[in-house]
Amino acid sequence: PELVGDAAVLVPSGDAAAIGRAVGGLLADPARRERLVAAGRQQAETWPDEAATVAQVLSTYDELVQRG
């Protein structure tokens, strides 16, 4: 949920019926699909780039090694 915000339809893991309902609902609602596309693009702009992600992971590893 933190990754996608309001830009996706979330369903419980392993719940095939929920996935089916979500997909069916989206297929029946082109306006909602368009809103999710726009929200997804906006949400993705908030994600860190590759360099920032690597720096964050390395920082976490450094913290863990120093504690160990």
Side-chain angles (χ1 to χ4, degrees), residues 30-59:
R32 185 169 183 215
R33 289 194 313 265
E34 287 299 317
R35 287 192 303 273
L36 287 173
V37 166
R41 289 185 177 129
Q42 188 174 22
Q43 183 71 21
E45 289 177 5
T46 69
W47 298 343
D49 64 12
E50 184 177 328
T53 301
V54 169
Q56 183 178 5
V57 169
L58 291 176
S59 175

Side-chain angles (χ1 to χ4, degrees), residues 5-28:
D6 293 329
V9 177
L10 300 177
V11 297
S13 177
D15 188 339
I19 293 169
R21 286 189 301 274
V23 170
L26 289 170
L27 289 173

